[in-house]
Amino acid sequence: MSLIKRVGRTSLKRPRGRVTLPPEWIGKDVIVLSQEEYSYWKKRDKNLFLVKTIFQEILNSKSNGRRMFNVVTKTWNPVSGCLHHCSYCWARKLANTKLKNSHRYKEGFKPRLNEEEFKTRFKDGDFVFVSDMGDLFGDFIPREWILKVLEHIQHFPKTFFLFLTKNPGRYEKFLEDMPENAILGATIETNRDKLYLENVISGAALPSIRYDAMKKLKWDKKFISVEPILDFDLEVLCKWVKDISPFMMYVGYDNYHNRLPEPPLSKTLKFLEEISEVTLVVRKTIKPAWFERLESHLDGIQ
C-alpha cells in the first residue's frame, strides 16, 4: 500500500524504526512504496522505455513505408519445420498442402536449414519475425543451426529480430551469443496444463514450464503470444504476465476453425483490460468463442 506524506522537520530526526530523509525534502510530498510496489513500477518503467526505443526506431525509419500498426515488417525462415505437432498449426497444414511440392517442404514439415536464406539483408528499423514457419529453439533443432542464425543477425544491429518458441527454456543456453537487438518470445496459450493435455493441443512443453522459463529468463526484451488463446484462469494468467514482465504481447483467438477449448469473450476482454495496465498489448483476432457464435446462430434460427 502506498503512502503520501508531507516531510516536516521531525522527519529529519532518526527515531527508532524511522528513516532519515534529506533536508532538501522539507515541505515536499514523498510517496512511500513497499518493496513489491517499487519492483512493479521499476519493471513497468523499463518496459515503457523499451517500447519507446524500439518503436521510435521502427516508426521513424525512412526505409519503412507501411501501415502504422503493422509491427512485423518481414518474415525470415533460415530454419523451417517443427516437431511439436500442435493441433492448430497453420504452418504445418500449409507445408503439407499448398507447399507440399516445393523444394523446402518436399519432406513435409521436417526441420530444415535453408542455406539460401543467409544471403538475406535487412534494413535499419525492420522488425523481423524469425522462423514463423517453424520453431527455431525446439529441442529438435541442432545447436549449430541456431548459432548460424544468431551470427547472421549480428550483422544488422539496427534491425529488431523477434523469436517465438514453445521451448523458451532453451534460450538460456544461447544468451552469451544472443544479439542485443533480439526479442525473445514464447507462446503461452493458457495457464491450464490439464486442459492442454486433455485436448492434445501440442507435444511442446506444458504452459507452466514455458511460464517458468520466461519468468527466470534474464533478458530485457521479452515477448509473449497468447494466440490462439485457450480457456484460462484469469487471476493466474494475469499473474504470469506480471511475473514474466514482457514489453509487448499478442492476444488473439484461433482463425482456422479448429474448435479449440476457447474462453468466452467476456473473460478475454477482462484479461485484456488487466494486462494492458502492465504491458503493450497488440490485439489480434478478438471475437466470441466458436461455441458462443454457434449458440447465437442456433438461437437465431429457433
Side-chain angles (χ1 to χ4, degrees):
M1 180 177 179
S2 303
L3 173 66
I4 300 178
K5 182 175 177 59
R6 177 62 59 88
V7 177
R9 293 193 176 277
T10 56
S11 303
L12 302 180
K13 300 177 182 179
R14 195 169 192 173
R16 182 178 300 175
R18 294 192 178 182
V19 178
T20 301
L21 300 176
E24 58 267 26
W25 285 13
I26 293 177
K28 296 182 179 179
D29 291 335
V30 175
I31 299 176
V32 181
L33 300 175
S34 67
Q35 181 64 44
E36 182 180 359
E37 288 174 315
Y38 173 75
S39 297
Y40 165 79
W41 286 109
K42 186 176 180 181
K43 284 182 180 179
R44 186 166 183 180
D45 182 66
K46 179 198 71 175
N47 287 340
L48 288 173
F49 177 77
L50 286 171
V51 169
K52 178 182 177 182
T53 301
I54 290 175
F55 281 91
Q56 274 184 336
E57 290 283 349
I58 294 172
L59 299 177
N60 293 327
S61 174
K62 294 181 180 179
S63 63
N64 292 313
R66 64 187 179 284
R67 291 179 300 174
M68 181 176 178
F69 297 105
N70 186 10
V71 179
V72 173
T73 62
K74 189 180 185 70
T75 57
W76 178 51
N77 282 280
V79 173
S80 56
C82 180
L83 300 180
H84 290 320
H85 299 288
C86 301
S87 63
Y88 58 77
C89 182
W90 62 269
R92 179 161 54 93
K93 292 175 183 176
L94 185 63
N96 291 329
T97 53
K98 292 183 179 180
L99 301 178
K100 65 181 180 180
N101 294 321
S102 67
H103 177 69
R104 188 169 294 187
Y105 301 106
K106 63 182 180 181
E107 295 185 48
F109 211 41
K110 179 181 177 181
R112 181 180 188 274
L113 180 67
N114 303 310
E115 293 283 0
E116 64 276 12
E117 292 287 346
F118 292 94
K119 299 176 183 178
T120 305
R121 296 293 179 265
F122 302 99
K123 299 176 182 178
D124 292 354
D126 266 347
F127 195 105
V128 181
F129 188 173
V130 182
S131 292
D132 70 318
M133 289 290 290
D135 189 332
L136 180 64
F137 287 88
D139 285 332
F140 40 78
I141 302 297
R143 177 179 175 83
E144 294 74 22
W145 294 9
I146 299 174
L147 290 175
K148 187 176 179 68
V149 172
L150 299 182
E151 181 183 1
H152 186 71
I153 70 176
Q154 292 274 11
H155 300 297
F156 306 96
K158 293 186 178 181
T159 301
F160 296 100
F161 293 88
L162 171 63
F163 297 98
L164 188 62
T165 182
K166 291 188 177 74
N167 189 39
R170 203 175 181 196
Y171 281 141
E172 189 71 31
K173 300 176 182 179
F174 293 90
L175 290 185
E176 290 185 1
D177 301 288
M178 194 68 67
E180 292 185 1
N181 52 329
I183 298 169
L184 304 186
T187 297
I188 302 178
E189 312 97 316
T190 177
N191 67 283
R192 297 181 178 178
D193 287 352
K194 185 177 180 181
L195 175 145
Y196 213 76
L197 291 170
E198 288 178 346
N199 290 273
V200 196
I201 300 297
S202 172
L206 291 173
S208 62
I209 295 175
R210 291 178 238 163
Y211 151 69
D212 191 57
M214 290 299 287
K215 177 184 176 181
K216 294 176 180 177
L217 183 64
K218 303 298 183 183
W219 194 256
D220 284 340
K221 295 175 279 294
K222 292 192 280 189
F223 170 87
I224 294 297
S225 174
V226 185
E227 185 187 24
I229 191 168
L230 305 179
D231 204 3
F232 60 92
D233 300 295
L234 180 61
E235 184 176 344
V236 176
L237 195 56
C238 286
K239 181 181 183 301
W240 282 18
V241 172
K242 293 175 183 177
D243 288 346
I244 294 170
S245 189
F247 88 94
M248 183 170 70
M249 288 182 62
Y250 275 9
V251 179
Y253 279 77
D254 171 53
N255 282 317
Y256 300 98
H257 312 292
N258 288 299
R259 294 204 169 189
L260 300 170
E262 297 175 335
L265 177 59
S266 58
K267 184 192 284 189
T268 300
L269 292 177
K270 181 63 176 175
F271 174 63
L272 288 167
E273 179 184 349
E274 293 200 17
I275 61 173
S276 293
E277 296 181 1
V278 297
T279 187
L280 172 66
V281 180
V282 178
R283 298 187 179 204
K284 301 296 284 300
T285 302
I286 303 298
K287 60 185 178 183
W290 67 266
F291 59 85
E292 292 179 304
R293 300 195 302 275
L294 178 60
E295 290 171 358
S296 178
H297 174 72
L298 293 176
D299 288 343
I301 61 177
Q302 287 180 356

